[in-house]
């Protein structure tokens, strides 16, 4: 499996949604950019670290990173390896035993940033989900398959309200793909 090392490039708010944030990652050479949606609490956690708040030195991610670096010789990395129904799938990987422990992608990114453990993404996933990185582009591109089910429904309603039927059609197709895989959307009866 080929993989690409990622670095956190920034954290942003999603305009129009007070409950979500956006983690901006790039490859080391800063040629490709990947955006991962996170909840407001995780956006706050990243903000604490970016502002270098003194309290963070005693918070769990920093304490665990310190324990791991001082007490073990673990050879670990964090890997983003898939996306399922709008959620990136990540794991902590022990490179010596090849054991993996699943975790939220935003937690993997946070732990990588505080522990300096390498963060990777499978190359094929990066090439499918990322866009070319440019420093002066207004706005951020987010692939439709990386949007949660509830965000997808909201975006569809907004596109219809704005009479943006091309976007609405694209969003509707993604919803239908997910439903074909058995995903149940909010306010939809479950099949017995």
């Amino acid at each position: 499996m080929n993989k690409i090392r990622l670095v956190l490039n920034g954290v942003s708010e999603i305009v129009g949604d007070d409950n979500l944030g956006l983690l901006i990652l790039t490859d080391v050479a800063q040629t490709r950019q990947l955006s991962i949606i996170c909840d407001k609490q995780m956006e706050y956690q990243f903000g604490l670290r970016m502002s270098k708040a003194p309290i963070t030195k005693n918070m769990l991610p920093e304490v665990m990173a310190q324990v791991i670096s001082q007490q073990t010789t673990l050879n670990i990395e964090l890997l983003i390896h898939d996306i399922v129904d709008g959620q990136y799938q990540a794991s902590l990987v022990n490179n010596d035993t090849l054991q993996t422990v699943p975790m939220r992608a935003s937690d993997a990114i946070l732990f990588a940033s505080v522990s300096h453990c390498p963060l990777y993404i499978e190359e094929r996933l990066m090439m499918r989900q990322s866009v070319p990185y440019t420093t002066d582009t207004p706005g951020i591109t987010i692939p439709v398959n990386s949007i949660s089910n509830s965000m997808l429904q909201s975006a569809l309603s907004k596109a219809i309200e704005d009479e943006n039927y091309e976007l609405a059609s694209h969003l509707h197709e993604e919803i239908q793909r997910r439903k074909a895989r058995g995903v149940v959307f909010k306010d939809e009866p479950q099949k017995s």
Side-chain angles (χ1 to χ4, degrees):
M1 162 193 44
N2 292 331
K3 54 191 179 183
I4 296 172
R5 187 154 183 184
L6 295 173
V7 293
L8 181 64
N9 195 284
V11 179
S12 178
E13 293 181 345
I14 294 180
V15 177
D17 194 325
D18 295 335
N19 298 316
L20 299 172
L22 211 55
L23 305 176
I24 312 302
L25 302 152
T26 63
D27 58 348
V28 174
Q30 291 191 325
T31 60
R32 308 277 312 164
Q33 174 179 296
L34 179 72
S35 302
I36 296 182
I37 296 169
C38 68
D39 59 31
K40 193 66 171 178
Q41 294 82 12
M42 189 57 75
E43 181 187 346
Y44 174 74
Q45 293 298 318
F46 278 98
L48 285 175
R49 274 91 183 165
M50 294 176 121
S51 68
K52 301 189 185 322
I55 190 172
T56 60
K57 70 179 180 180
N58 296 324
M59 295 180 86
L60 184 60
E62 285 77 3
V63 170
M64 291 306 300
Q66 187 176 17
V67 168
I68 288 171
S69 70
Q70 293 177 352
Q71 306 296 321
T72 71
T73 57
L74 284 176
N75 177 14
I76 59 175
E77 67 184 35
L78 299 141
L79 177 66
I80 300 171
H81 51 82
D82 201 0
I83 186 165
V84 177
D85 298 330
Q87 300 293 313
Y88 282 96
Q89 307 296 302
S91 295
L92 185 138
V93 180
N94 181 328
N95 288 320
D96 295 328
T97 65
L98 300 180
Q99 290 180 304
T100 63
V101 179
M103 61 192 307
R104 285 190 324 171
S106 56
D107 287 317
I109 297 163
L110 179 64
F111 191 71
S113 68
V114 302
S115 69
H116 307 292
C117 284
L119 173 66
Y120 294 99
I121 186 169
E122 286 189 5
E123 182 179 36
R124 65 173 175 63
L125 183 60
M126 178 68 166
M127 298 317 291
R128 188 176 77 226
Q129 295 296 120
S130 65
V131 296
Y133 176 70
T134 56
T135 57
D136 57 353
T137 303
I140 297 168
T141 303
I142 304 172
V144 70
N145 71 341
S146 68
I147 299 173
S148 70
N149 295 339
S150 60
M151 284 185 67
L152 199 55
Q153 286 182 306
S154 295
L156 176 60
S157 297
K158 178 90 168 102
I160 292 169
E161 180 182 310
D162 293 346
E163 297 181 2
N164 186 342
Y165 300 116
E166 185 177 340
L167 176 59
S169 174
H170 189 59
L171 296 169
H172 182 341
E173 288 171 10
E174 178 63 19
I175 290 171
Q176 294 310 311
R177 273 192 288 278
R178 292 184 190 185
K179 285 182 178 180
R181 289 193 322 268
V183 174
V184 176
F185 280 74
K186 182 180 165 186
D187 300 330
E188 179 179 290
Q190 292 188 9
K191 297 177 183 172
S192 312

